[in-house]
Amino acid sequence: MKRKRKERPQRPRGIRPESLMMSFGYRPEWSEGAVKPPVFQTSTFAFRTAEEGKEYFSYAYGLKERDPARPMGLIYSRLNNPDLDILEHRLNLWDEAEASAVFASGMAAISTSFLALVGIGEAIVFTRPVYGGTDYLLEHILPDLGIPTREIAAGAEPEVFEEICRELEEAGTPCKLIFVETPANPTTVLTDIAATTDVAHRFGALCAVDNTLLGPLYQQPLAHGADLVLYSATKYLGGHSDVVAGVALGSEELIERVKLYRTILGSMLDPHSAWLLLRSLETAKLRMTCARKNAERIARWLAAHPKVARVYFPGLLEARRQKEIYEAQCSGPGALMSFELANAGEPEAFQFLNAVRLMKLAVSLGGTESLVEHPASMTHADVPADEQAAIGITPGMVRLSVGIEHPDDLIDALDEALEQVGVELDQPEATPV
Ligand SMILES: *Cc1c(COP(=O)(O)O)cnc(C)c1O
């Protein structure tokens, strides 16, 4: 019997992503009635006939035009694999993307996309601070390969992007990609996605947004015009601190170009990690909602604590322009924050970090467990001190990724740890009686 080629799953209208995460893109009859898709732990796939093998290869090498409604036939797991396909179809739903590609890490998604979309002699403009790995790629590796890069402070207005793009054009190295990480880490400064995309498009460039910190639940860059969304799925999408993965989402056309590079560079995700992410996505909304609610409570509590000088959290913005951007492009503040201990330096921050119970002292974020770390000496240690100061990273700053524990337990743990920090408080002068 000739089996019909599977068709691309169509998103049922009016059903929300969280309702589709348990079923979309997979049918039990494909796998002995198994309710959950199996791990397709295989490197290669058998063709039913030589003619079929020839047909699949003709599409894979672009020798023949493929009907976009039909997915590419299965050939070899560096090109595609059912677990990766199902995962990509489900990820598309959250960001309302036409297509996506999953990678071995967030850095694999970012580096593969840059190489696929920007050529030698074309430039990338990016916001700073960005994730440390991305920073190294943009500061060292890409310029060494002949791709010039220019940084702009996170939160910069469109005129600043415009000026840099004009300079690059005049220098004969036109900007091909504006890369924005918003909110910025660890200071949670927001950059206007729609306005920045507008500038990019006027200069014939693309706009890519690293949306790892808020995730698709609280920010959807494609809806604001961005061309590409990138994630470290190691963080909220994976959500359990047990898998390293990345995602790129955008139009069919862009993702096809990115996937060609993924195939040749070999930066795709493996089937087992894809399967773990499928499990994670079933609870993405539950986890992120719980962590966000916890974070909102904790941020307010910290802001009122006498030993805390300042809290950086998208839910507690002060500047008018930042609030405007938040209202326009974010639907929630996420669960990552930083705070500065009052009159504190590194010794006091370390006192706090060494004292705090319940939360692990570790980098990374977005897991079910709460994590604390010291940006100045850990995640952002390679940023020179004067630059750290300029972007607001101080020795007394602590970053907190809030998990899904009971918020009262987290607050008790923070309270106890703060009690053990020996800082001088600015007490108002006692009034003589
Ligand atoms: C962690 C992270 C990355 C890198 O992701 P990996 O999965 O560790 O490669 C990129 N961007 C942001 C914002 C991140 O937090």
Side-chain angles (χ1 to χ4, degrees):
M1 186 183 85
K2 191 163 157 51
R3 198 170 60 183
K4 244 180 64 195
R5 288 273 304 282
K6 264 186 279 188
E7 293 204 13
R8 235 176 111 88
Q10 293 299 314
R11 176 185 185 155
R13 278 181 196 285
I15 307 184
R16 293 162 186 82
E18 62 264 36
S19 308
L20 292 168
M21 281 306 114
M22 283 63 80
S23 59
F24 189 67
Y26 170 74
R27 294 223 294 269
E29 62 261 35
W30 294 343
S31 306
E32 310 276 358
V35 165
K36 296 293 164 186
V39 185
F40 288 87
Q41 193 69 50
T42 184
S43 58
T44 193
F45 296 87
F47 308 127
R48 273 159 294 202
T49 59
E51 288 76 11
E52 186 181 72
K54 178 179 174 180
E55 184 195 339
Y56 287 5
F57 266 95
S58 68
Y59 297 138
Y61 282 116
L63 306 175
K64 236 167 83 182
E65 191 82 15
R66 177 169 59 89
D67 174 1
R70 294 192 180 280
M72 200 142 83
L74 294 164
I75 297 177
Y76 184 67
S77 285
R78 180 155 45 72
L79 280 72
N80 57 357
N81 173 289
D83 291 302
L84 273 61
D85 277 350
I86 300 166
L87 175 60
E88 286 165 356
H89 288 136
R90 291 190 190 169
L91 285 163
N92 292 347
L93 300 178
W94 289 104
D95 276 281
E96 299 194 24
E98 269 177 33
S100 58
V102 289
F103 290 87
S105 67
M107 282 315 301
I110 293 168
S111 55
T112 305
S113 300
F114 286 179
L115 291 172
L117 302 175
V118 183
I120 308 290
E122 297 171 335
I124 300 178
V125 171
F126 68 102
T127 53
R128 230 185 203 153
V130 273
Y131 180 73
T134 314
D135 200 281
Y136 194 89
L137 177 69
L138 288 162
E139 180 74 23
H140 302 287
I141 297 179
L142 294 177
D144 285 352
L145 293 176
I147 298 174
T149 61
R150 292 285 298 271
E151 61 165 289
I152 292 181
E157 290 302 331
E159 297 75 44
V160 184
F161 286 94
E162 209 171 309
E163 200 182 307
I164 301 280
C165 285
R166 194 166 306 118
E167 279 175 28
L168 285 165
E169 202 169 59
E170 282 161 11
T173 52
C175 172
K176 195 64 194 289
L177 183 77
I178 298 185
F179 177 79
V180 174
E181 194 179 303
T182 180
N185 168 16
T187 52
T188 72
V189 173
L190 305 178
T191 304
D192 188 328
I193 296 170
T196 309
T197 302
D198 224 42
V199 175
H201 289 176
R202 265 188 280 134
F203 283 86
L206 299 167
C207 183
V209 177
D210 184 332
N211 198 33
T212 300
L213 261 53
L214 288 184
L217 231 66
Y218 300 124
Q219 185 168 268
Q220 297 185 312
L222 297 177
H224 298 278
D227 302 288
L228 197 72
V229 181
L230 296 158
Y231 288 106
S232 167
T234 312
K235 315 297 165 55
Y236 291 102
L237 294 176
H240 296 71
S241 305
D242 58 4
V243 62
V244 173
V247 192
L249 301 106
S251 67
E252 278 291 348
E253 190 259 319
L254 276 190
I255 295 301
E256 193 124 330
R257 283 159 64 191
V258 170
K259 276 191 173 170
L260 171 66
Y261 272 64
R262 182 183 74 170
T263 292
I264 301 305
L265 298 176
S267 52
M268 72 294 158
L269 190 62
D270 67 283
H272 182 248
S273 299
W275 185 89
L276 283 171
L277 279 176
L278 284 171
R279 162 177 274 209
S280 291
L281 287 183
E282 297 188 8
T283 55
K285 183 167 184 194
L286 265 181
R287 286 183 285 104
M288 292 186 74
T289 304
C290 177
R292 187 259 304 161
K293 286 184 180 166
N294 283 355
E296 285 173 331
R297 260 196 69 189
I298 289 168
R300 282 196 301 272
W301 182 85
L302 281 171
H305 197 286
K307 285 188 183 171
V308 174
R310 188 167 172 190
V311 180
Y312 298 88
F313 182 57
L316 290 179
L317 296 168
E318 283 161 19
R320 187 187 56 83
R321 176 71 180 122
Q322 285 284 297
K323 274 189 184 161
E324 238 174 57
I325 300 175
Y326 181 84
E327 293 301 326
Q329 73 190 33
C330 309
S331 52
L336 185 80
M337 70 185 73
S338 299
F339 57 95
E340 218 172 271
L341 296 166
N343 302 319
E346 185 180 286
E348 290 78 15
F350 280 16
Q351 260 180 353
F352 171 84
L353 290 167
N354 290 331
V356 71
R357 286 187 299 112
L358 200 60
M359 305 173 188
K360 295 278 177 293
L361 174 50
V363 299
S364 195
L365 55 106
T368 43
E369 69 288 300
S370 295
L371 300 176
V372 284
E373 67 108 6
H374 187 243
S377 69
M378 297 173 190
T379 45
H380 296 71
D382 67 333
V383 180
D386 56 332
E387 218 175 292
Q388 283 196 1
I391 54 182
I393 301 172
T394 59
M397 177 190 261
V398 168
R399 190 182 80 180
L400 165 60
S401 170
V402 178
I404 62 168
E405 301 91 342
H406 195 290
D408 292 346
D409 292 334
L410 292 173
I411 286 175
D412 285 349
L414 289 168
D415 199 25
E416 265 176 46
L418 283 169
E419 214 154 282
Q420 290 175 54
V421 177
V423 294
E424 296 285 321
L425 290 183
D426 307 317
Q427 299 284 3
E429 293 284 314
T431 16
V433 189

